[in-house]
Amino acid sequence: MTKWDYDGPILEIENLSISFFTRLREIPAVMDFSCVVQPGEAMGLVGESGCGKSTVALAVMRDLGKNGRIVGGSIKFKGRDLTTMTEEELRDIRGSEIAMIYQEPMASLNPAMRIGQQLMEVPMIHEGVGKEEAYKRALEVVTDVRLPDPERIMRSFPHQLSGGQQQRIVIAMALMSKPALLILDEPTTALDVTVEAAVVDLVKDLGKKYGTSMLFISHNLGLVLEVCDRLCVMYSGEAVETGAIVDVFNKMQHPYTQALFRSIPLPGADKNARPLIAIPGNFPLPHERPRGCNFGPRCNYFVDGQCNGGDVPMVPVAGDDRHDTRCLRVDEIDWAAKPVATRTHEKSEPGEVVLKMEDLRKYYEVSASSLFGGGDKRVVKANETLSFEARAGETLAIVGESGCGKSTFAKVLMGLETATSGKIMLYDNEIQATPIENRSTDTVSGVQMVFQNPFDTLNPSMTVGRQIIRALEIFGIGENDADRRTRMLELLDLVKLPRAFADRMPRQLSGGQKQRVGIARAFAGGAKIVVADEPVSALDVSVQAAVTDLLMEIQRQNRTTLLFISHDLSIVRYLSDRVMVMYLGHVVELGSTDQVFAPPYHPYTEALLSAVPIADTHVQKKHIVLEGDIPSAMNPPPGCPFQTRCRWKSQVPGGLCDREVPPVQTLAGGHQIKCHLSAEQFAAMEPVIKIVAE
């Protein structure tokens, strides 16, 4: 049988159980997992961190490491059981018929080899083809993944490519031998939303071109909707619901699936009128799973004696195509019932201006050879004429791709860097030229930051309580140790952590709990302005809802000004009052959330909105894929910073976009757009996102 002439299911996983063995115990990671992938079908695998998604993928590759073992069930690839194959048989299949794309592209590329050599290796090793044929195939596949100047790319080393280009090369490598099954493990997590849109587009097109079946692992339900035909939802090592995308999204039949959808900011969610509903409790540890249904302790429909009585099997949902659920009460629950309204809030009006930036610039000087000295000096223009103001009690979101200057501006505001020119007014004080070590304690405690990665911001050798008390000591709060300990316990109450956590070490906390400690520490000195730099992007969807809800609640209590830096426009639309869009150091659009999310848009904002995956089958989006990567701030294009990627450029006469930086146009209601388009062209713009009624 050749590798292509098989007409049964490509992948059949039946009752798969996987355990990891430690010195203390056997830890069951996956239990009784089944799924089928048909030829040409894309199956999405979704769930929170630790639910077993990647473990299933590694089991298919038979790459579970020394401690991992398949303890039950079978994995059949084209009818052959992978669990009984020898190492030699597996070597023939891996990379040739089953290929895997990992989350971090740089980990899959050899930094010492040129891209062309790495790609040519695949057909030379697996199919024994000659160098010339291998080069021809590699060039074809680099062209297929839409990389500019394929011959130059083939001569490049991995470090000479951007993250998006590296990920495309990894996809090209996986497709070199035209595998029957492609496993993608969070392939776009490390990428910008615009690059993610282009990569997802590419994966779909190549899947169709090569007829490849896919197992697509993600925690992003919007992405799964765009890429996959079918879906399997996992919770704590088990599949809890599986079916066609439309069936699962529109007629979910498991409480966990329903809870997941209620905790993500879909269109229509509103932080005041329709707040997100976080899933109560925490994910169970593998060796502490409850009896009966794993989701039972967190489920709104839990019935004692029934749901925890014994094993819960998967049962078919009548009337749907291969739609199954692991719920004993599936026929008793009213799935169409609207959620019970949680607390709603009055929309608070922003107060006085607490922060004002005027024409802020931040340039870095780098020498051509900064390692050895000498060479011409070059300038990186990280921030270019930033002007805006923020008021007490409001949330201002700052959005844009990596390299647009979001984090640089945050560093200048915090005093970790000083401005090149321009002004930053904090209340009535100018702070742009004062580094953090020269700032007063009041200024430092008044402007605080919550960082992206909660794991890197806590001292691993200090208890949670001690870390918060340390901040109180630095800010000069409390008369004595007893005062500070009382205040620390109040801060734990504020971020909804049990007081017993004061004596825990950071390693004993989950990601969401660590982020809460980071928030408690930021508010220790009564911060008036909090810069939140991607504070929920490292967290699971259900935890995101709880942490954003917490930030909003503290903001309402303290009238805090929140500067929310993010690339996730769904969460921005949900929690921000105003939005500032940045591109290559420039503010290209600034307005209220309603203004920025409805036409007229800056052409870049329009492309950003089109790129955001939305987990709603009733949403129709205009399809705009940005070609190329964001230019270097060391060598920005002349004229408009966005002109190299703009689809509207041809509609501006006289090559104006190539020559002149656009003026800031102020439209109705103070909505600002930095663009050469005319008022008539803005008026003719159509919405990117439409909700289609059922």
Side-chain angles (χ1 to χ4, degrees), residues 652-674:
V652 177
L656 201 57
C657 300
D658 294 323
R659 293 194 315 272
E660 290 179 28
V661 175
V664 175
Q665 301 186 45
T666 303
L667 310 176
H671 182 191
Q672 296 175 11
I673 298 183
K674 195 174 198 170

Side-chain angles (χ1 to χ4, degrees), residues 93-403:
I93 285 177
R94 283 194 204 118
S96 157
E97 295 200 60
I98 305 176
M100 185 157 177
I101 296 168
Y102 295 89
Q103 186 167 346
E104 186 43 69
M106 203 54 193
S108 308
L109 296 170
N110 184 334
M113 277 175 79
R114 294 182 193 275
I115 296 295
Q117 292 171 290
Q118 299 192 49
L119 288 169
M120 287 161 63
E121 268 190 350
V122 180
M124 285 166 76
I125 289 169
H126 285 293
E127 296 172 49
V129 304
K131 265 191 173 180
E132 273 184 38
E133 172 65 15
Y135 182 84
K136 202 172 88 185
R137 280 209 218 167
L139 197 61
E140 182 192 340
V141 85
V142 171
T143 312
D144 270 354
V145 295
R146 301 181 202 145
L147 281 167
D149 194 355
E151 291 185 340
R152 179 185 64 78
I153 296 275
M154 296 268 284
R155 291 192 300 273
S156 302
F157 286 98
H159 70 267
Q160 295 172 300
L161 308 183
S162 70
Q165 289 174 333
Q166 287 172 6
Q167 193 60 290
R168 283 164 190 243
I169 289 297
V170 172
I171 291 170
M173 200 182 289
L175 292 167
M176 277 297 288
S177 56
K178 301 185 174 57
L181 177 68
L182 183 60
I183 301 170
L184 301 103
D185 189 358
E186 304 267 14
T188 60
T189 304
L191 305 179
D192 273 314
V193 68
T194 48
V195 182
E196 175 181 83
V199 168
V200 163
D201 228 39
L202 176 73
V203 166
K204 285 194 296 193
D205 289 353
L206 294 174
K208 287 195 187 92
K209 176 176 176 179
Y210 293 114
T212 310
S213 300
M214 284 189 269
L215 194 59
F216 188 89
I217 297 169
S218 181
H219 64 270
N220 186 328
L221 287 158
L223 264 187
V224 167
L225 171 62
E226 292 190 0
V227 177
C228 301
D229 311 299
R230 298 181 62 75
L231 170 69
C232 177
V233 181
M234 288 188 75
Y235 181 80
S236 189
E238 294 180 325
V240 292
E241 184 166 8
T242 181
I245 288 281
V246 176
D247 290 339
V248 177
F249 273 57
N250 296 349
K251 297 185 286 181
M252 50 200 79
Q253 299 284 301
H254 193 280
Y256 176 60
T257 315
Q258 187 185 62
L260 259 190
F261 274 89
R262 286 178 178 175
S263 65
I264 55 178
L266 296 173
D270 179 299
K271 65 178 177 182
N272 297 311
R274 285 183 58 194
L276 299 179
I277 303 168
I279 304 175
N282 288 313
F283 198 76
L285 292 169
H287 56 282
E288 294 174 357
R289 290 189 176 108
R291 181 171 158 75
C293 174
N294 283 344
F295 188 59
R298 305 174 74 188
C299 181
N300 293 331
Y301 308 108
F302 179 79
V303 173
D304 193 17
Q306 183 182 1
C307 299
N308 54 1
D311 288 348
V312 183
M314 286 290 263
V315 292
V317 175
D320 289 343
D321 169 35
R322 292 177 288 151
H323 187 180
D324 299 319
T325 178
R326 195 181 292 274
C327 180
L328 295 171
R329 304 197 59 219
V330 60
D331 297 326
E332 302 163 36
I333 296 168
D334 179 4
W335 297 103
K338 291 273 182 276
V340 178
T342 51
R343 290 171 302 149
T344 57
H345 308 277
E346 288 296 312
K347 189 172 193 266
S348 59
E349 288 306 314
E352 58 171 338
V353 173
V354 294
L355 176 71
K356 190 172 186 178
M357 286 201 185
E358 288 177 16
D359 286 338
L360 180 84
R361 284 184 171 88
K362 176 62 186 171
Y363 294 172
Y364 294 96
E365 265 195 4
V366 288
S367 61
S369 173
S370 51
L371 187 61
F372 303 109
D376 297 331
K377 289 264 189 236
R378 300 180 73 182
V379 173
V380 177
K381 298 181 175 182
N383 287 151
E384 198 63 277
T385 62
L386 250 72
S387 296
F388 71 90
E389 50 187 43
R391 297 174 180 275
E394 89 166 337
T395 304
L396 172 67
I398 297 118
V399 299
E401 294 167 283
S402 308

